[in-house]
């Protein structure tokens, strides 16, 4: 593991610019300390009558951006949630399983008759440490600014733990936080909160190692991924997931069907409920925070899928369709759904109801198969809620922009306002090599309409397994999409960052511009490289090489 640690935890992970400082905001109700990143500005800017010489930013990088923390990937991150001691008395050790985590921790589960999910607590009006944590995190210590902010007719107030609790109780938001993932810094997914993004990682039978996958997870958080999904399908699935979880400050999701299929030697027809159930429990004890489960694809949907241009493009969906056809039986994820929920409730794992029938091309968008499955996902949502399980709904896929709004409206109506989590959607089929941009275009639109989380797409989509640089490109493209949607929804913290950036631009304050950017490293690199290439020697030029000194319109409009 030595080369592993040297490789992953290089100083680059901490390189946010000299003006950036890691801070921790303390809770009032619970002993939580919420990690944020403050950017010190080079001067004081006045925005809407308030003065700012720094701004705290929403930060997904966890301890990786904290120079005060020593990272040892063989030990994993500090189990920050353990000291909150919230579930004491309601949980028990799973001693009989024989499973011990990589850091020697015996997994926990709820005692018989106890419910430890965020949804169960919210329904009782109980504010958990996780609820307080996300309220502080979303406000970014900008309560005064938020209180003074309005957009159109809308006046804003800071988020409170009580509001978070109500949103979760109503099923409109989830906090994916398995009790066996103590390294997690909680986050919330819901349309009345900041739009979040997910990065998929995971090895395949054809490439990459555990080390590379852990590196990608850390790398994705460092660039802004709010969750990561481990979609490993090759060798060492259990160990890969274990190392990702122990080193991940963000929620980790999986598609348990992939590992179940490995256990069935890759033969879909030989999958059984028992094999799938045991896989769920294995992953639950490791600490997976949310499971994608394709329980909504039913036998009567299959003829419509067969008539499509690209059939079934979801891996989990195509596995279950093969199983249903070969065995001439209904999807066992549907017939055993209540048992699945009982397992998830014991560990507080959220269910992400998979869209097995998402359209894989523009021609299949919003078709009978897609919306037929969505109706079933709505019914399953109610069944999961009955068992105190937090739910989000997965969505498409490939959708032309004129059909995106219908997707969002149908999801809200059929799935009772549970959070929507979409892959893109990709706005065209012909952007191979640039599908991260394609996906960010569709993602921006659907998030502005109310989608809660965007699954990233990398430039390698449809072409190959992404490497480290593809992960960065994909994360940043979707971070732009999520931020643009936050602006469209009037999020006050998002607005402040843009206002400060505009003022820094007009002041030619280059360091502030870099540090307020979504990717400060690239902004700085591009600017300095173009200055060097053009021989520009001034320390703080009041123009850049794009227009040059004589044609800089911002300089000219200031009368310089
Ligand atoms: S030169 Fe053009 S791009 Fe550069 S700062 Fe001036 S107006 Fe902006």
């Amino acid at each position: 593991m030595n080369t592993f640690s040297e490789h992953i935890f290089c100083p680059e992970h901490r390189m946010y610019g000299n003006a950036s400082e890691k801070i921790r905001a303390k809770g009032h109700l619970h002993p939580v300390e919420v990690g944020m990143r403050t950017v010190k500005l080079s001067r004081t800017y006045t925005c809407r009558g308030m003065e700012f010489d720094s701004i705290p930013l929403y930060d997904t990088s966890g301890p990786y951006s904290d120079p005060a923390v020593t990272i040892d990937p063989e030990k994993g991150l500090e189990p920050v949630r353990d000291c909150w001691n919230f579930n004491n008395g309601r949980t028990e050790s799973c001693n009989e399983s024989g499973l011990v985590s990589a850091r020697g921790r015996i997994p926990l589960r709820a005692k018989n008759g106890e419910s430890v999910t965020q949804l169960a607590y919210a329904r009782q009006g109980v504010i958990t440490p996780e609820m307080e944590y996300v309220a502080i995190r979303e406000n970014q210590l900008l309560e005064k600014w938020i209180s003074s902010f309005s957009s159109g007719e809308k006046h804003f107030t800071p988020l409170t733990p009580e509001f978070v609790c109500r949103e979760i109780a109503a099923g409109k938001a989830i906090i994916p936080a398995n009790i066996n993932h103590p390294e997690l810094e909680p986050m919330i997914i819901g349309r009345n909160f900041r739009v979040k993004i997910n990065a998929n990682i995971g090895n395949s039978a054809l490439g990459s190692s555990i080390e590379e996958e852990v590196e990608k997870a850390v790398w994705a958080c460092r660039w802004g991924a709010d969750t990561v999904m481990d979609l490993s399908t090759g060798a060492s699935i259990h160990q890969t997931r274990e190392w990702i979880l122990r080193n991940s400050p963000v929620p980790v999701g999986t598609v348990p069907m992939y590992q179940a299929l490995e256990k069935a030697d890759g033969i879909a027809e030989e999958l059984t409920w028992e094999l799938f159930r045991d896989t769920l429990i294995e992953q639950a004890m490791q600490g997976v925070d949310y499971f994608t489960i394709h329980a909504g694809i039913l036998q009567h949907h299959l003829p419509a899928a067969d008539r499509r241009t690209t059939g079934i493009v979801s891996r989990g969906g195509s596995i279950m369709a093969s199983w249903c056809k070969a065995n001439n039986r209904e999807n066992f994820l549907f017939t055993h759904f209540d048992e699945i929920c009982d397992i998830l409730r014991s560990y507080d794992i959220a269910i992400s109801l998979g869209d097995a029938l998402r359209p894989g091309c523009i021609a299949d968008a919003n078709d009978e198969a897609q919306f037929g499955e969505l109706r079933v996902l709505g019914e399953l949502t109610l069944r999961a809620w009955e068992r105190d399980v937090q739910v989000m709904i997965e969505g498409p896929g490939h959708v032309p922009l004129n059909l995106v709004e219908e997707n969002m409206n149908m999801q809200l109506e059929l799935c009772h306002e549970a959070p929507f989590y979409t892959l893109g959607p990709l706005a065209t089929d012909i952007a191979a090599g640039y599908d991260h941009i394609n996906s960010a275009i569709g993602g921006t639109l659907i998030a502005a309409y109310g989608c809660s989380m965007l699954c990233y797409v990398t430039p390698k989509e449809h072409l190959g397994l992404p490497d480290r640089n593809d992960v960065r490109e994909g994360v940043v493209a979707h971070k732009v999409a999520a931020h643009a949607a936050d602006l469209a929804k009037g999020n006050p913290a998002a607005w402040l960052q843009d206002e400060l950036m505009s003022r820094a631009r007009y002041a030619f304050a280059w360091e502030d511009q870099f540090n307020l950017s979504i990717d400060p490293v690239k902004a700085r690199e591009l600017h300095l490289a173009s200055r060097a290439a053009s021989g520009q020697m001034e320390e703080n030029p009041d123009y850049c090489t794009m227009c040059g000194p004589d044609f800089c319109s911002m300089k000219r409009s200031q009368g310089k």
Side-chain angles (χ1 to χ4, degrees):
M1 295 277 288
N2 277 342
T3 50
F4 182 17
S5 50
E6 283 163 23
H7 189 42
I8 297 173
F9 299 95
C10 57
E12 196 178 2
H13 286 296
R14 299 174 183 221
M15 202 174 73
Y16 282 102
N18 295 333
S20 174
E21 185 192 352
K22 193 81 179 184
I23 55 166
R24 299 197 182 272
K26 289 186 190 298
H28 300 293
L29 307 173
H30 298 285
V32 298
E33 292 191 1
V34 183
M36 297 181 196
R37 181 166 72 86
T38 290
V39 166
K40 180 103 183 70
L41 302 166
S42 66
R43 61 201 73 189
T44 299
Y45 297 97
T46 304
C47 299
R48 305 188 185 199
M50 288 177 64
E51 294 191 335
F52 294 91
D53 60 9
S54 66
I55 176 175
L57 298 178
Y58 193 102
D59 182 18
T60 58
S61 61
Y64 296 107
S65 56
D66 189 348
V69 175
T70 304
I71 304 282
D72 181 351
E74 293 184 42
K75 288 190 179 152
L77 302 179
E78 273 301 305
V80 287
R81 289 172 71 209
D82 273 351
C83 70
W84 299 346
N85 284 329
F86 192 70
N87 287 315
N88 274 359
R90 302 182 188 101
T91 57
E92 61 187 9
S93 297
C94 313
N95 286 323
E96 80 288 354
S97 68
L99 268 184
V100 177
S101 82
R103 62 187 308 139
R105 184 178 190 272
I106 297 171
L108 299 172
R109 70 178 163 227
K111 283 182 181 166
N112 233 341
E114 294 284 357
S115 191
V116 293
T117 72
Q118 298 293 324
L119 179 56
Y121 285 125
R123 284 171 163 168
Q124 296 162 37
V126 174
I127 294 170
T128 62
E130 288 79 6
M131 294 176 199
E132 186 183 27
Y133 193 105
V134 301
I136 295 169
R137 195 171 194 184
E138 295 273 326
N139 285 332
Q140 293 177 217
L141 298 177
L142 292 170
E143 283 82 355
K144 202 169 153 207
W145 164 260
I146 295 168
S147 302
S148 71
F149 191 82
S150 55
S151 173
E153 297 288 294
K154 198 169 171 186
H155 298 280
F156 289 80
T157 52
L159 295 181
T160 60
E162 290 76 14
F163 176 76
V164 171
C165 187
R166 286 196 298 274
E167 289 284 294
I168 292 173
K172 293 181 185 175
I174 65 169
I175 298 177
N178 185 327
I179 57 174
N180 290 316
H181 188 187
E183 302 87 356
L184 175 77
E185 297 186 354
M187 50 78 74
I188 190 162
I189 302 169
R191 72 182 196 283
N192 291 319
F193 302 91
R194 289 197 81 138
V195 177
K196 306 303 188 303
I197 68 163
N198 169 69
N200 290 337
I201 54 169
N203 58 351
S204 74
L206 297 177
S208 85
S209 60
I210 295 178
E211 289 83 348
E212 284 170 293
E213 293 315 312
V214 176
E215 186 197 13
K216 275 189 226 168
V218 174
W219 189 241
C221 305
R222 181 246 183 277
W223 291 110
D226 295 283
T227 75
V228 294
M229 286 197 79
D230 172 21
L231 303 185
S232 295
T233 56
S236 312
I237 287 184
H238 184 94
Q239 291 89 333
T240 304
R241 188 171 53 241
E242 181 66 25
W243 285 113
I244 290 173
L245 275 160
R246 301 290 71 86
N247 287 289
S248 176
V250 303
V252 175
T254 63
V255 186
M257 182 56 73
Y258 297 171
Q259 188 181 10
L261 188 66
E262 293 284 343
K263 291 178 181 176
D265 295 324
I267 305 168
E269 296 73 16
E270 296 196 355
L271 283 163
T272 62
W273 155 244
E274 289 74 20
L275 194 149
F276 183 79
R277 178 199 59 203
D278 293 348
T279 306
L280 280 188
I281 294 171
E282 175 190 335
Q283 297 196 12
M285 288 197 282
Q286 278 191 298
V288 174
D289 301 289
Y290 63 96
F291 286 147
T292 291
I293 295 185
H294 299 93
I297 176 172
L298 301 181
Q299 282 179 299
H300 72 266
H301 297 136
L302 302 183
D306 286 340
R307 289 193 292 274
R308 285 172 149 184
T309 305
T310 55
I312 299 174
V313 297
S314 146
R315 279 192 275 182
S318 64
I319 292 166
M320 285 323 299
S322 301
W323 187 90
C324 291
K325 284 179 181 171
N327 294 288
N328 194 24
R329 285 166 62 195
E330 194 52 280
N331 180 350
F332 65 75
L333 302 175
F334 179 82
T335 55
H336 287 275
F337 189 72
D338 293 342
E339 290 156 87
I340 291 172
C341 290
D342 288 341
I343 294 169
L344 271 55
R345 179 179 52 195
S346 296
Y347 305 87
D348 195 11
I349 299 168
I351 191 165
S352 186
L353 286 168
D355 55 336
L357 293 171
R358 67 170 176 265
C361 66
I362 292 295
D364 294 341
N366 294 22
D367 70 353
E368 180 192 346
Q370 183 195 335
F371 286 150
E373 183 191 36
L374 192 63
R375 271 186 200 90
V376 179
L377 298 187
E379 293 161 18
L380 294 175
T381 300
L382 297 179
R383 280 169 61 185
W385 284 348
E386 273 173 27
R387 286 174 149 70
D388 291 336
V389 174
Q390 303 184 88
V391 180
M392 63 179 166
I393 309 291
E394 294 188 9
H398 291 234
V399 181
L401 292 181
N402 58 312
L403 298 185
V404 167
E405 188 175 12
E406 184 188 15
N407 261 278
M408 192 66 234
N409 292 342
M410 290 282 282
Q411 189 272 341
L412 287 173
E413 183 191 329
L414 295 176
C415 299
H416 320 285
E417 301 190 46
F420 205 17
Y421 164 35
T422 59
L423 180 76
L426 281 74
T428 169
D429 295 340
I430 62 162
Y434 298 89
D435 272 327
H436 58 312
I437 297 171
N438 183 17
S439 167
I441 290 170
T444 306
L445 192 60
I446 203 160
Y449 285 136
C451 175
S452 304
M453 183 157 81
L454 303 175
C455 183
Y456 89 160
V457 163
T458 76
K460 287 266 180 61
E461 184 76 6
H462 303 113
L463 302 172
L465 192 69
D467 63 17
R468 202 171 95 131
N469 195 50
D470 298 320
V471 169
R472 174 179 172 178
E473 294 287 321
V475 168
V476 173
H478 291 76
K479 215 57 198 166
V480 174
H483 184 83
D486 282 337
L487 284 177
K489 290 161 70 178
N491 181 286
W495 270 87
L496 178 60
Q497 193 170 347
D498 276 51
E499 283 206 26
L500 288 170
M501 175 62 116
S502 309
R503 291 177 198 286
R505 273 204 179 121
Y506 206 56
F508 301 101
W510 297 103
E511 273 303 314
D512 293 344
Q513 292 181 55
F514 307 147
N515 292 330
L516 289 164
S517 299
I518 288 175
D519 182 344
V521 178
K522 188 166 186 176
R524 186 178 284 108
E525 271 171 13
L526 292 180
H527 177 74
L528 295 180
S530 58
R531 275 173 65 178
S534 67
Q536 193 185 33
M537 302 305 286
E538 297 110 304
E539 193 57 34
N540 265 315
D542 53 2
Y543 64 95
C544 76
T545 57
M546 182 170 165
C547 318
D550 297 336
F551 290 89
C552 176
S553 49
M554 289 209 285
K555 182 177 172 181
R556 194 173 288 276
S557 54
Q558 293 175 59
K560 290 185 181 174

